[in-house]
Amino acid sequence: METSQRVDDAAVKPQDPSPVAKEIKPATKTTHRPGDLPGQKASPVEQHKKAILEISDLTKKFGDFSAVNGVDLTVYEGEIFALLGSSGCGKSTLLRMLAGFETPTSGSILLDGKDIVEIPPYKRTINMMFQSYALFPNMNVRQNIAFGLKQEHLKKSVIDERVDKMLKLVHMEAFTDRKPYQLSGGQRQRVALARSLAKEPRLLLLDEPMGALDKKLREQMRLELVDIINTVGVTCIMVTHDQEEAMTMADRIAIMDRGEFVQVGGPREIYENPNCRFSAEFIGSVNLFDCTLLSSDQKRSLIHTDDFPAPIELGHDVDLADGMPLSIALRPEKVYISKTPDDSGSSNCCEGDVENIAYLGDISIYYVRLPSGRLVASTLPNVDRFKTGLPIWDDHVYLSWDSESCIALTI
């Protein structure tokens, strides 16, 4: 991460939490993978590109309502893939079709090249961990983990060996005789995960895996869950509505809306280079401005918005005709805040009054009201405990940003 910061009594430049691609082209509605952004390496999963799951034109209708509408997706072996979206977007329906609990209206699901649509759930080499964990209350930890293996009528020695392996993997060796009600939320999650992994599935499905945990425990369990999944080497598809959870755990993310994929890509790509307003607003915080393209060539583009006194300048061309409407997205951490005007001569600046300050411990968010009436957010990391000279309520301040920090959105 870049941790450089320009801070003095007169000016404050917020910390940029991640490197920014030096040339962000206008986004189009296409599918990307890690490695598409300059300076971003593809993951080992992407480099090998061995597909384990291929979904083609998958649709699920309930009457006239399309819960999932013509979805195409390829998931690679060893990958953790997240389906991210708000309630009712179709992500859980898609997961249930993969598990075999829902039958697609049309389309195909290929697992290792074999269409599994007609294969019943219990015959698929897929296991699912439910949000509620669905542990058997009358069974202890060992019995819960062993349940699926006994259903397959495996030898006792094989069952014992696998259960012991799973107990060690999830660090639950000391709790084998406890019932679910005697376990904490994190411990129940580990048992549910161990039960799902014990059958050695080709594909592991996680339905809101952190939904039953409190915030602090969720943060702790995210990395622990990823470590366990990576240790086993299983391919995983998880459903979540928690952006931070998806960004932390997944190799790639699919943002869903109204049964369709809006954007598919790595966490950094989706955050730094959203392909539309929906993606920009759904992942993280963003300032969005309605604009009009004034002029554009290979070196720069000038964009007009009623919110700023001068045009917004981008360091690249925008593939639109002059006079066409577009949006500009600007992340709050990319906006510099200062008590004095920017003397760099940049056109990317404005001024206003601090209307509110949200202190969140590690960061502060400044809400600045512009003369146009627009409210703009600027994020400042709280590096120094008692830094003096920072803007306070009702201060008149100046905002500025780099041209490469602006994201031009045409849809």
Side-chain angles (χ1 to χ4, degrees):
M1 292 186 179
E2 292 183 5
T3 56
S4 59
Q5 185 184 18
R6 182 178 68 204
V7 179
D8 53 40
D9 289 346
V12 178
K13 179 176 180 178
Q15 183 182 26
D16 189 344
S18 60
V20 182
K22 292 302 179 184
E23 186 175 354
I24 300 179
K25 294 295 183 181
T28 55
K29 197 168 185 178
T30 55
T31 300
H32 305 277
R33 293 193 297 268
D36 286 352
L37 288 179
Q40 184 183 13
K41 294 181 179 180
S43 68
V45 171
E46 290 291 315
Q47 290 172 357
H48 288 94
K49 294 184 179 179
K50 182 180 179 182
I52 179 175
L53 178 71
E54 295 173 275
I55 300 171
S56 179
D57 198 26
L58 195 64
T59 298
K60 177 61 180 179
K61 291 186 176 182
F62 296 97
D64 294 332
F65 174 72
S66 294
V68 176
N69 187 21
V71 165
D72 296 310
L73 177 66
T74 299
V75 178
Y76 300 95
E77 191 168 23
E79 184 175 25
I80 299 178
F81 191 94
L83 299 173
L84 177 64
S86 56
S87 297
C89 71
K91 58 187 186 299
S92 293
T93 301
L94 176 54
L95 201 73
R96 290 177 61 82
M97 284 192 285
L98 297 180
F101 303 142
E102 296 284 357
T103 302
T105 304
S106 61
S108 62
I109 304 173
L110 302 182
L111 183 64
D112 289 323
K114 181 179 180 181
D115 196 332
I116 61 172
V117 168
E118 301 298 329
I119 298 178
Y122 60 90
K123 289 187 176 181
R124 300 187 184 190
T125 53
I126 297 174
N127 267 14
M128 184 168 177
M129 189 178 92
F130 297 92
Q131 180 178 355
S132 63
Y133 306 143
L135 298 177
F136 299 107
N138 60 318
M139 297 183 184
N140 62 28
V141 169
R142 174 174 282 276
Q143 291 167 336
N144 263 285
I145 297 174
F147 179 81
L149 302 176
K150 289 182 178 179
Q151 295 299 108
E152 294 187 347
H153 305 291
L154 299 178
K155 293 182 179 179
K156 185 177 183 306
S157 59
V158 174
I159 294 174
D160 290 341
E161 180 183 352
R162 286 212 203 159
V163 171
D164 288 339
K165 180 182 177 182
M166 290 299 108
L167 287 169
K168 183 177 180 181
L169 181 67
V170 299
H171 309 293
M172 290 293 290
E173 304 100 311
F175 305 93
T176 56
D177 295 326
R178 292 194 184 183
K179 300 287 181 66
Y181 74 89
Q182 297 172 309
L183 303 174
S184 68
Q187 290 170 336
R188 288 195 293 272
Q189 184 194 55
R190 291 191 188 100
V191 176
L193 180 62
R195 185 178 64 183
S196 298
L197 293 174
K199 293 179 66 175
E200 299 179 350
R202 285 289 288 154
L203 185 64
L204 175 65
L205 307 179
L206 304 178
D207 184 12
E208 299 282 1
M210 307 294 173
L213 306 179
D214 60 69
K215 185 178 187 302
K216 187 158 186 146
L217 189 54
R218 281 203 308 270
E219 293 174 356
Q220 173 189 333
M221 290 300 298
R222 283 173 193 155
L223 297 180
E224 184 173 336
L225 185 58
V226 170
D227 286 341
I228 292 172
I229 292 172
N230 287 337
T231 298
V232 176
V234 66
T235 304
C236 176
I237 298 179
M238 58 180 285
V239 158
T240 180
H241 64 271
D242 188 321
Q243 305 168 20
E244 190 174 332
E245 185 176 299
M247 298 278 282
T248 303
M249 296 179 62
D251 299 305
R252 283 192 301 149
I253 299 169
I255 298 178
M256 286 194 73
D257 182 44
R258 300 178 184 180
E260 298 180 352
F261 288 163
V262 176
Q263 185 173 6
V264 179
R268 178 177 179 269
E269 178 208 349
I270 288 179
Y271 185 85
E272 297 288 356
N273 194 29
N275 65 356
C276 62
R277 288 180 65 110
F278 184 88
S279 289
E281 290 182 292
F282 195 83
I283 294 287
S285 301
V286 68
N287 299 298
L288 274 171
F289 304 96
D290 295 323
C291 305
T292 303
L293 180 64
L294 295 177
S295 63
S296 181
D297 57 39
Q298 292 184 348
K299 293 183 178 180
R300 70 170 187 169
S301 300
L302 294 178
I303 297 166
H304 168 76
T305 175
D306 293 336
D307 293 310
F308 302 143
I312 301 172
E313 183 177 339
L314 275 65
H316 57 77
D317 63 325
V318 176
D319 190 18
L320 284 177
D322 294 354
M324 293 294 290
L326 73 159
S327 300
I328 289 294
L330 188 59
R331 299 290 185 186
E333 71 274 7
K334 315 289 187 185
V335 181
Y336 312 150
I337 184 168
S338 168
K339 287 186 176 181
T340 58
D342 190 311
D343 58 1
S344 64
S346 170
S347 61
N348 292 332
C349 59
C350 62
E351 58 185 283
D353 299 315
V354 177
E355 185 171 294
N356 207 345
I357 303 173
Y359 179 81
L360 302 180
D362 55 338
I363 62 170
S364 291
I365 305 175
Y366 289 80
Y367 295 95
V368 179
R369 182 73 66 179
L370 306 184
S372 67
R374 176 64 186 270
L375 200 63
V376 176
S378 172
T379 302
L380 170 67
N382 296 319
V383 177
D384 298 319
R385 292 183 60 199
F386 304 109
K387 181 68 180 178
T388 59
L390 301 179
I392 60 174
W393 282 268
D394 298 327
D395 272 358
H396 191 75
V397 295
Y398 299 85
L399 304 178
S400 60
W401 54 92
D402 298 328
S403 60
E404 63 266 24
S405 297
C406 299
I407 307 168
L409 302 174
T410 57
I411 57 175

